[in-house]
Amino acid sequence: MGQMRESLDIIKEAVDRGIDVRADCYPYDAFSTFIGSSVFDDGCFDNWNKSHDSILLTEEPYKNIRCTEEIFHKVRKEYPNMLAVAFVMNEDEVIESLKESFVYVASDGLLNKGQGHPRAAGTFPRIIGRYVRDDNRLELIDQLKKMTKLPAERLKLEHKGEIKVGMDGDIVIFDYDKIIDCATFDNPTESPLGIEYVIINGEIALQNNEILQNRLGKVIRRFQI
């Protein structure tokens, strides 16, 4: 939103001083949250240098409708739990952040009745297919580490993040020439292309885009850093 370099410099200074802090970023120029959130309070458009039509609504009766000032205030009042997508970020700043060693890849997708942000289904294929392969703006190995090894180390998941003896058998096999995200803001749950296998704890969960077992993973409810 125009403050990325300043934000990154603050974090880097802290890291250089020995403070144990990291950041993450998702590869999209829009965020998504409930329209009733305080992030949309008075003054937000001035801060973003954007107008009301930068907000896309995702649910009926305003599904895929861009806001006017009138619609914006009406939905905030009458449908505060409706997910909205705000196209208020700068793609170049997103790439700038993902080049930093202390910024990992985030995929904190929030969906409500199948609507929301495409990062829930497209984050990692988008990084590899679009920004590494097609645009040549990011490095493959660097980004793979930010999706696997580095977050696992950060969260102290000692048996995850690498392929070696003694680790959990969690492996994604993809075709580098084909992998790409297909999820959009209109259809945020669309499956990506190019992922041939997903193996969780040594068992095949997905093969050639077909889910074979959908209950192999588990939620990590609590951890200590």
Side-chain angles (χ1 to χ4, degrees):
M1 304 175 187
Q3 304 90 24
M4 182 62 77
R5 186 67 261 163
E6 179 183 3
S7 301
L8 292 172
D9 287 345
I10 291 171
I11 299 171
K12 185 177 187 304
E13 180 184 358
V15 172
D16 290 344
R17 286 192 288 127
I19 296 176
D20 186 19
V21 62
R22 298 293 184 270
D24 57 25
C25 183
Y26 49 79
Y28 294 87
D29 61 357
F31 72 81
S32 178
T33 191
F34 299 110
I35 191 68
S37 167
S38 60
V39 74
F40 293 119
D41 284 353
D42 290 346
C44 65
F45 294 106
D46 291 334
N47 292 335
W48 300 329
N49 194 30
K50 300 289 184 179
S51 58
H52 291 85
D53 63 1
S54 64
I55 308 302
L56 175 70
L57 302 174
T58 67
E59 301 173 41
E60 300 294 352
Y62 296 99
K63 184 176 179 180
N64 296 333
I65 298 295
R66 292 275 185 159
C67 282
T68 62
E69 183 175 0
E70 179 183 1
I71 291 175
F72 176 78
H73 290 296
K74 179 180 176 63
V75 176
R76 288 258 292 166
K77 180 179 180 179
E78 298 180 7
Y79 303 92
N81 292 323
M82 179 186 292
L83 285 176
V85 178
F87 293 86
V88 299
M89 300 155 66
N90 302 315
E91 184 180 51
D92 287 343
E93 289 192 316
V94 171
I95 299 301
E96 182 180 17
S97 72
L98 287 168
K99 290 181 177 180
E100 293 286 354
S101 61
F102 52 81
V103 178
Y104 302 165
V105 177
S107 62
D108 59 332
L110 179 63
L111 297 174
N112 186 12
K113 300 176 183 177
Q115 294 300 311
H117 199 295
R119 66 179 181 254
T123 290
F124 303 117
R126 183 179 181 87
I127 288 277
I128 299 170
R130 187 179 305 269
Y131 293 121
V132 173
R133 184 193 63 220
D134 294 347
D135 294 350
N136 197 30
R137 301 180 72 180
L138 297 171
E139 296 294 330
L140 177 61
I141 299 302
D142 183 43
Q143 296 305 310
L144 289 178
K145 286 181 179 179
K146 294 181 176 195
M147 300 172 189
T148 56
K149 178 178 170 62
L150 296 180
E153 290 178 346
R154 181 67 181 165
L155 299 179
K156 293 183 170 58
L157 302 177
E158 298 178 353
H159 299 288
K160 298 189 181 295
E162 294 185 274
I163 301 175
K164 64 181 184 181
V165 174
M167 306 293 276
D168 292 344
D170 298 337
I171 303 171
V172 175
I173 300 173
F174 62 88
D175 186 328
Y176 179 74
D177 294 325
K178 296 179 180 178
I179 190 170
I180 195 67
D181 62 308
C182 297
T184 65
F185 290 96
D186 292 336
N187 189 7
T189 61
E190 185 70 19
S191 299
L193 299 177
I195 296 181
E196 299 182 352
Y197 289 91
V198 175
I199 301 171
I200 299 176
N201 201 27
E203 297 188 55
I204 298 176
L206 178 142
Q207 181 176 353
N208 296 325
N209 211 37
E210 179 182 353
I211 296 175
L212 304 181
Q213 301 185 72
N214 63 1
R215 295 187 177 274
L216 293 178
K218 63 180 180 180
V219 175
I220 301 171
R221 297 188 178 276
R222 181 178 298 178
F223 55 84
Q224 292 183 342
I225 298 179

